[in-house]
Amino acid sequence: MTSQMIAALEERKTAVQRLFEGYAALERPFLLRSELWNGFEAQCAEPEGASLRASRVARVIGSAQEAALGEGVICLAVRYQIGRWAYLRVEIAEMRIEEISVSKYLAFKEDLVDGSGDWNLEFDVEPFSREFPHMQETRSIGRGVEFLNRRLSSDLFYQVGKGDRKLIDFLRAHKYDGRQLMLNERISGVAEMRSALREADEILAARTSDTAWTAVEDELREHGFEAGWGATTGRARETMELLSELLEAPAPAALERFLSRVPMIFSIAILSPHGYFGQKDVLGRPDTGGQIVYILDQVRALEREMRRRVAEQGLNIEPQIRIVTRLIPEADGTTCDQPIEAVEGTENVSILRVPFRDEAGEPIPHWISRFEVWPHLERFSREVETRLIEELGARPDLIVGNYSDGNLVATLLSQRLGVTQCNIAHALEKTKYLYSDLYWRDNEEQYHFSSQFTADLIAMNAADFIITSTYQEIAGTGETIGQYESYQSFPMPGLYRVVQGIDVFDPKFNIVSPGADAGVYFPFTDEARRETDTQPEIEDLIFGGPRDDARGVLEDSDKPILFTMARLDHIKNVTGLVEWYAKSERLREAANLLVIAGSVREEDSGDREEQAQIRRMHELMEENGLDGQVRWLGARLEKKTSGELYRVVADRGGAFVQPALFEAFGLTVIEAMACGLPTFATRYGGPLEIVQDGVSGFHIDPNTGEAAAELMADFFERCSTEPGYWQRLSEGSIARVEARYTWDLYAERMMTLSRVYGFWKHVSNLERAETQRYLEMFYALQFRPLAASIE
């Protein structure tokens, strides 16, 4: 591929040289993809450049994600395919073109920043995974468990006797509270297993399928079988038949079906240290948003699924889930100062809070930004380990990390306890801020990206499997880079360079999309379930007069409502939406704007980024005279209130808008659509996959706010003149969520993945011991000093 790119550039050498000279004339060290393409388009518009558009050069420049320019030299980073990169160095005067390594490309960039390119530490995990199977096709990204089962099952079971033996050892390893499950010592080899399965089948076949396992338990124990095969003889016989098929003719699908029935996940620890983690009065506080909603809905679904599986396998075991977060003594009226809090709607799920401590061992009383938690996490993890074992009575069976800090704590715990580790990023900060790696020093005082990116690299590579909500989160699109892909290689001038940080073709990646709480977020047409008791409160929220937590009073209550709800930070782009609205006369005429975000008063926020956004909101309201058309609320709503609010907006023919510069998934998008609201959502991130453009809503580009505002104005104007148009979009939203985004689907997949990866970790080298030693060294030599430097 690289030779073809070089040939394409050399084929039109004169035109390409002129193009590169134009780039150099800008006198900027780095150019983004859009800037490269704009320069190419400008040259194509000239008479002598018209034919360039149809040449192979267009594909090379169109695939270039960035360029670095030095004295007489341009280097291009070309993403010729999702997850696949090439690097070209061009001496412009002589038009000498060569391929260079990623290491040399990064060194060139570092030299342009601070001259540090010669001797920089390199992080590179590629040598440790050369023998490990990786996917090759972009369509396979995010389907890791399918690939593993296909690839490893054939490798394992076709080594005569070896795979069968490992499977038996795996089944014999399962115990609960000292009680043996699945297989006992009477089955010690493959021959005994096959014989015992045949004898067990005769015993089970002689009973009706609804006979309880306890009726045959003693007899089957004599043949080597313990509880866990099924609650009834029919279920147990099905499970044993799956095992027999697997021993006879191993197949990936059969392996997954069998492993999904193995009783091995009875307790889960879910890590989420930062923010205000609680069930009430926390949403909208700094660092506290969709992740909290995600986890609370997640654990309810996981507990239901764990109970279902335990019951089907005939075990009297009480599943346990602990959400582990930070205890904040100065809790500001929330429950975040309570060490234990039961989760509503569950039987045995609770929030376990452990404090951060100072050097003297005293609890740190106040909230700490997610960007400044890094010095506290190692000590936190050790106290969490002790508390978890006290709570659960043993180590957990699965550890799930959330966000960068939770994933690092999950890594520390899983390595010490020897437990399967799952990571969920929710959002990776690296792609949110332009050149956050290249100019990391400029951001260090506020964001401490050096600690965060280092923690991300360690946790990503340590995890047994990684859950993402969308394909884009891993690998982006043909035009945009995925969040995880951005960690593939990048520079940190003067600190280290990442040559191979993560491979998006690694089979640890799996797409498992979350849903919306169906008990709260349901269609506005379902009148019987509507929260009518909250409607007076909601009417006052939207149309009421002045209040301490609001600005603006809607003068024309007959207009439909354009609604947004998000944290008030830069990346959510709420102020951007207000600015689009302010500048669009058509949109202002067609609809009111309702904004629920952050705090209205700057003094009520302790977060610098939020404070800046609050100031900007007030400036926009003042400068554009928006107080009669925009209602801005700094309220924190309970879930049932927010669900009914979506429905009230739908009653009035409104729409939801999610204007973020980037959104990893978009839970509010799911919530709004589930309630029947047509939705406008950013095309950067998960909403591009959630929303079907023109069917359930519309994609908008947050970088072209004028166009987005015109699209929204078009929508409202069409709704007013075309009967049935709004209803068609509303029905499309509801149908989309019901088909793809439910927590029951999520929980079923999550539980199956945990078993499959647990199996492969047990029987193969998925533990990657060499990689682990490398990561331990990187943690000690890089992360610890970086974290310790944060004041």
Side-chain angles (χ1 to χ4, degrees):
M1 179 57 72
T2 306
S3 61
Q4 295 173 19
M5 289 188 283
I6 292 174
L9 297 179
E10 290 179 336
E11 185 176 80
R12 304 297 298 271
K13 184 174 291 188
T14 301
V16 170
Q17 185 178 44
R18 189 162 60 251
L19 175 65
F20 289 170
E21 288 172 345
Y23 293 150
L26 297 173
E27 297 185 342
R28 291 171 52 195
F30 305 105
L31 295 176
L32 299 173
R33 179 177 185 271
S34 59
E35 295 167 325
L36 292 171
W37 187 252
N38 288 341
F40 178 79
E41 288 274 83
Q43 183 160 329
C44 290
E46 299 174 1
E48 63 272 21
S51 63
L52 200 59
R53 194 188 307 277
S55 71
R56 293 191 295 168
V57 174
R59 177 160 186 185
V60 177
I61 301 301
S63 299
Q65 296 298 311
E66 65 176 11
L69 295 98
E71 187 66 35
V73 173
I74 182 171
C75 289
L76 297 174
V78 183
R79 182 178 180 254
Y80 59 88
Q81 187 181 341
I82 289 174
R84 306 205 185 277
W85 295 71
Y87 303 91
L88 303 179
R89 182 182 186 276
V90 183
E91 295 179 19
I92 300 174
E94 296 82 12
M95 277 304 291
R96 186 180 297 116
I97 308 170
E98 63 174 333
E99 181 182 11
I100 59 174
S101 67
V102 60
S103 181
K104 287 186 176 180
Y105 174 73
L106 296 175
F108 184 74
K109 292 177 69 175
E110 292 157 8
D111 273 335
L112 292 174
V113 172
D114 64 2
S116 67
D118 283 343
W119 295 98
N120 232 351
L121 172 68
E122 292 192 340
F123 180 91
D124 185 2
V125 295
E126 192 274 336
F128 300 106
S129 61
R130 285 175 184 160
E131 304 303 318
F132 192 81
H134 281 64
M135 299 173 288
Q136 298 298 317
E137 302 298 327
T138 57
R139 65 176 177 271
S140 297
I141 292 173
R143 298 164 59 187
V145 76
E146 299 172 33
F147 172 82
L148 270 185
N149 283 342
R150 286 196 309 269
R151 181 69 179 269
L152 295 187
S153 61
S154 60
D155 290 349
L156 182 68
F157 286 98
Y158 288 108
Q159 299 175 42
V160 179
K162 183 177 179 182
D164 300 344
R165 176 72 227 183
K166 287 189 174 183
L167 180 58
I168 292 171
D169 291 342
F170 171 73
L171 294 177
R172 290 182 61 184
H174 295 298
K175 297 180 175 66
Y176 181 79
D177 197 22
R179 178 189 178 189
Q180 183 66 47
L181 303 176
M182 302 301 285
L183 295 182
N184 61 39
E185 71 282 353
R186 285 183 169 83
I187 296 177
S188 58
V190 178
E192 289 105 320
M193 169 69 84
R194 292 177 183 273
S195 176
L197 285 170
R198 288 191 289 269
E199 292 164 349
D201 188 65
E202 292 180 5
I203 294 169
L204 294 170
R207 304 292 186 110
T208 59
S209 61
D210 59 352
T211 301
W213 167 268
T214 52
V216 294
E217 184 172 19
D218 291 339
E219 189 174 1
L220 288 174
R221 182 175 290 121
E222 293 299 314
H223 293 279
F225 299 102
E226 298 288 344
W229 293 90
T232 64
T233 54
R235 175 78 177 183
R237 193 179 184 195
E238 288 175 6
T239 306
M240 291 182 182
E241 285 174 353
L242 285 171
L243 178 57
S244 295
E245 291 174 12
L246 200 57
L247 294 172
E248 185 68 21
L255 177 63
E256 182 171 317
R257 287 196 303 272
F258 175 71
L259 291 175
S260 70
R261 297 188 176 204
V262 175
M264 55 188 289
I265 307 294
F266 306 117
S267 63
I268 303 175
I270 295 180
L271 282 300
S272 183
H274 78 258
Y276 289 82
F277 201 109
Q279 299 176 80
K280 296 179 180 178
D281 302 321
V282 297
L283 295 181
R285 294 174 184 268
D287 297 342
T288 309
Q291 177 182 326
I292 308 301
V293 176
Y294 179 113
I295 294 172
L296 289 172
D297 287 345
Q298 174 199 47
V299 295
R300 293 184 182 100
L302 287 176
E303 187 189 44
R304 288 195 302 270
E305 181 66 14
M306 291 168 74
R307 288 184 178 280
R308 182 185 71 81
R309 294 193 184 209
V310 165
E312 286 181 345
Q313 295 313 108
L315 299 173
N316 184 24
I317 294 173
E318 182 71 17
Q320 302 182 82
I321 301 177
R322 296 294 178 267
I323 302 169
V324 184
T325 188
R326 184 195 162 204
L327 184 142
I328 307 174
E330 295 176 359
D332 192 25
T334 72
T335 58
C336 295
D337 57 350
Q338 297 180 11
I340 295 287
E341 180 184 355
V343 174
E344 296 174 4
T346 70
E347 296 183 49
N348 200 356
V349 180
S350 59
I351 302 168
L352 171 64
R353 297 189 178 94
V354 176
F356 289 167
R357 298 186 182 276
D358 60 23
E359 292 182 0
E362 295 299 315
I364 296 174
H366 52 272
W367 166 84
I368 296 176
S369 164
R370 71 185 188 275
F371 297 115
E372 297 175 344
V373 299
W374 308 107
H376 308 287
L377 296 182
E378 184 170 338
R379 184 170 188 168
F380 175 79
S381 75
R382 293 190 179 279
E383 188 168 347
V384 165
E385 180 180 350
T386 301
R387 293 288 305 282
L388 265 179
I389 292 174
E390 289 174 354
E391 275 286 308
L392 300 176
R395 67 180 187 176
D397 299 313
L398 175 68
I399 294 176
V400 182
N402 290 272
Y403 194 70
S404 299
D405 50 0
N407 288 330
L408 183 67
V409 176
T411 298
L412 298 174
L413 286 172
S414 66
Q415 294 306 317
R416 290 200 296 265
L417 296 175
V419 175
T420 301
Q421 174 189 349
C422 168
N423 284 4
I424 306 175
H426 295 281
L428 293 165
E429 299 290 342
K430 188 171 176 296
T431 53
K432 293 182 181 180
Y433 301 85
L434 186 61
Y435 296 134
S436 58
D437 49 14
L438 197 58
Y439 294 105
W440 65 273
R441 283 194 179 91
D442 296 344
N443 296 303
E444 193 67 1
E445 182 179 355
Q446 181 172 0
Y447 295 120
H448 304 290
F449 285 145
S450 64
S451 294
Q452 181 152 12
F453 297 169
T454 304
D456 285 335
L457 288 169
I458 292 167
M460 287 174 191
N461 285 284
D464 295 299
F465 66 107
I466 295 173
I467 291 298
T468 71
S469 298
T470 63
Y471 180 96
Q472 281 193 77
E473 191 177 338
I474 309 169
T477 67
E479 292 75 39
T480 60
I481 300 170
Q483 290 188 69
Y484 280 98
E485 188 181 5
S486 74
Y487 281 78
Q488 186 167 313
S489 60
F490 61 93
M492 300 279 281
L495 186 61
Y496 58 82
R497 75 173 62 106
V498 177
V499 175
Q500 177 69 63
I502 192 70
D503 184 355
V504 297
F505 293 92
D506 194 311
K508 69 172 59 182
F509 286 105
N510 292 271
I511 301 166
V512 185
S513 299
D517 185 343
V520 174
Y521 304 104
F522 53 83
F524 73 102
T525 53
D526 192 348
E527 294 290 346
R529 299 172 65 196
R530 294 285 295 264
E531 300 283 351
T532 54
D533 59 319
T534 66
Q535 289 181 1
E537 175 192 353
I538 290 169
E539 289 290 324
D540 183 62
L541 283 172
I542 301 173
F543 299 111
R547 46 191 282 172
D548 290 342
D549 61 353
R551 175 165 183 176
V553 176
L554 301 180
E555 295 173 351
D556 185 351
S557 60
D558 292 331
K559 288 182 182 179
I561 296 169
L562 182 64
F563 172 42
T564 193
M565 182 165 57
R567 294 193 314 273
L568 194 55
D569 59 28
H570 168 73
I571 204 69
K572 294 298 184 182
N573 198 34
V574 174
T575 55
L577 170 64
V578 175
E579 187 169 5
W580 306 344
Y581 180 84
K583 293 180 178 179
S584 174
E585 290 297 330
R586 291 177 59 219
L587 186 54
R588 292 174 68 166
E589 180 64 28
N592 290 318
L593 178 60
L594 174 64
V595 175
I596 298 182
S599 300
V600 175
R601 298 185 303 181
E602 187 177 341
E603 60 268 26
D604 290 341
S605 173
D607 183 79
R608 284 178 290 179
E609 186 172 327
E610 184 180 55
Q611 289 169 351
Q613 293 293 303
I614 292 170
R615 291 193 295 272
R616 180 59 179 153
M617 282 286 287
H618 285 296
E619 289 171 3
L620 289 167
M621 298 281 284
E622 293 284 350
E623 293 169 1
N624 298 281
L626 297 177
D627 284 290
Q629 296 172 296
V630 175
R631 176 78 157 171
W632 170 27
L633 291 160
R636 299 184 178 99
L637 305 183
E638 297 299 323
K639 276 181 67 174
K640 74 171 189 175
T641 304
S642 66
E644 191 59 26
L645 176 56
Y646 286 123
R647 289 185 285 273
V648 168
V649 174
D651 289 335
R652 295 174 170 270
F656 185 76
V657 57
Q658 209 279 27
L661 301 175
F662 180 86
E663 182 62 53
F665 180 62
L667 272 178
T668 55
V669 172
I670 295 292
E671 292 168 359
M673 291 171 64
C675 294
L677 275 177
T679 298
F680 295 85
T682 180
R683 65 186 301 272
Y684 296 113
L688 185 65
E689 295 178 35
I690 298 170
V691 176
Q692 295 168 295
D693 194 48
V695 177
S696 54
F698 302 92
H699 301 146
I700 57 174
D701 187 340
N703 299 308
T704 57
E706 183 178 341
E710 292 304 297
L711 180 64
M712 289 183 266
D714 289 343
F715 166 78
F716 284 113
E717 290 173 0
R718 185 173 174 182
C719 289
S720 67
T721 59
E722 183 180 324
Y725 180 64
W726 186 94
Q727 186 68 29
R728 188 161 70 248
L729 271 293
S730 174
E731 291 171 355
S733 293
I734 295 167
R736 179 67 170 171
V737 171
E738 289 177 347
R740 293 282 299 275
Y741 302 102
T742 72
W743 281 111
D744 287 343
L745 291 171
Y746 175 99
E748 190 281 329
R749 195 63 188 149
M750 182 73 163
M751 285 293 92
T752 295
L753 289 174
S754 64
R755 286 161 169 77
V756 174
Y757 280 94
F759 168 73
W760 287 120
K761 182 174 183 174
H762 183 90
V763 304
S764 71
N765 190 33
L766 282 195
E767 292 188 41
R768 307 180 188 183
E770 300 88 350
T771 306
Q772 183 55 39
R773 297 296 293 165
Y774 183 73
L775 297 175
E776 289 170 359
M777 179 181 67
F778 197 64
Y779 179 92
L781 298 181
Q782 282 291 332
F783 178 79
R784 270 191 183 137
L786 289 169
S789 68
I790 299 174
E791 297 180 359

